[in-house]
Amino acid sequence: MTTVLDSGLLGDVLLRDALRDILAPFDLPPVEDVAARRELAESLLSGQDNGSVDGLALSYAVIAYCASTEDTAALVVEALRGNHDALVLDGARGGYALLPCAQDDHTALAGALHDQVGADVWLAVTWAPRHDIATARATAEDVLRIASGRAPGVYELRNVLADFAVLRQAHVAARLARMIEPLVAQPALLDALRAFIAEDGNRTAAARTLDVHRSTLDHRLRLIERLTGCRPTSPRALLTLSVALTAHSAPEVPLPRTH
């Protein structure tokens, strides 16, 4: 017995099959295949992608992230789980996420991710075409290293440009780190400098943060000048002290290795 399809149904079947054939080369590994997607993320992040994998976006938001706890880091992965286009390489307290996006959309994507997690997490984001993801990853790592010493949030290169430039010059970073060394043994002075930097040189706000009288803060700032040779109340000197503090104390961030 021969079954005859009506023309409308036949048209739907043909259209479905045609679309399946057209879109097949652009299918990423299924989201459930965690190992395959992780391997793909590592390949892109390490610069080993030779363009042979079909279906990848032309450009990505490259995000390096770290969290205060392993549970918080897991929230980042969970927030990305529903994004079938996201590629994630995660570790215990940090990792990388690659999100397809057009240029200039990367900051908004990272901001939305941070809002969704809503916890103590630091995100460093940059944008790159597919062939340059490894370079973007290195930049994001350095930005994250600087940002992790600041308040949680989303950071781009432009937010930490002076610190970034110094950290990329090892001999300059070493010299600045030595300059700040006399403060390390005096926590009160170190806290005063950090608060003064965080408040953009506002003495009243910094004294409030430290819960000390403004005259006490002024005394500590004079001691900082005596020990470092930089006057914190000068905007240029404060920038120097801020970068020196980063050079001395920027931590290594808990990111998984890429090969």
Side-chain angles (χ1 to χ4, degrees):
M1 178 177 180
T2 303
T3 301
V4 179
L5 297 175
D6 65 60
S7 59
L9 180 57
L10 180 60
D12 289 343
V13 171
L14 292 174
L15 178 60
R16 182 195 64 201
D17 291 345
L19 286 174
R20 183 188 60 205
D21 292 341
I22 291 170
L23 296 176
F26 298 94
D27 287 341
L28 288 174
V31 70
E32 293 80 10
D33 191 350
V34 175
R37 297 182 69 82
R38 184 183 178 88
E39 185 177 344
L40 185 52
E42 185 172 8
S43 176
L44 290 169
L45 289 162
S46 60
Q48 296 176 5
D49 170 43
N50 59 11
S52 62
V53 179
D54 293 326
L56 294 182
L58 296 178
S59 58
Y60 285 86
V62 180
I63 299 173
Y65 68 90
C66 67
S68 55
T69 66
E70 292 185 15
D71 288 343
T72 304
L75 291 177
V76 178
V77 178
E78 185 62 31
L80 292 167
R81 199 176 301 282
N83 186 337
H84 293 190
D85 295 321
L87 297 173
V88 180
L89 180 63
D90 61 306
R93 283 186 44 236
Y96 304 93
L98 302 178
L99 306 178
C101 79
Q103 192 170 11
D104 299 329
D105 291 342
H106 57 291
T107 307
L109 277 175
L113 176 59
H114 191 272
D115 290 344
Q116 188 174 350
V117 174
D120 286 345
V121 61
W122 292 258
L123 305 179
V125 60
T126 186
W127 175 90
R130 174 180 167 180
H131 64 81
D132 206 24
I133 285 177
T135 301
R137 184 215 79 224
T139 297
E141 285 177 359
D142 282 345
V143 172
L144 183 63
R145 184 180 171 210
I146 297 164
S148 62
R150 304 184 183 185
V154 177
Y155 291 84
E156 298 177 79
L157 177 58
R158 63 189 176 92
N159 303 132
V160 296
L161 197 55
D163 306 72
F164 180 88
V166 167
L167 288 182
R168 285 291 177 101
Q169 300 292 325
H171 66 288
V172 177
R175 183 174 179 180
L176 286 171
R178 286 195 299 272
M179 184 186 78
I180 212 81
E181 191 68 40
L183 301 184
V184 175
Q186 303 195 46
L189 298 185
L190 207 55
D191 289 345
L193 179 58
R194 288 189 174 123
F196 197 55
I197 291 170
E199 297 296 345
D200 294 323
N202 185 316
R203 278 181 276 191
T204 300
R208 188 183 305 117
T209 297
L210 294 165
D211 195 24
V212 300
H213 195 277
R214 178 167 162 166
S215 62
T216 301
L217 175 63
D218 287 340
H219 174 67
R220 293 176 184 176
L221 294 177
R222 287 193 294 271
L223 291 177
I224 290 170
E225 180 180 0
R226 187 181 306 166
L227 291 171
T228 65
C230 284
R231 181 164 53 90
T233 52
S234 161
R236 182 175 296 180
L238 185 61
L239 177 60
T240 299
L241 287 168
S242 176
V243 175
L245 196 56
T246 297
H248 183 274
S249 58
E252 292 300 320
V253 286
L255 292 170
R257 289 189 178 184
T258 57
H259 303 288

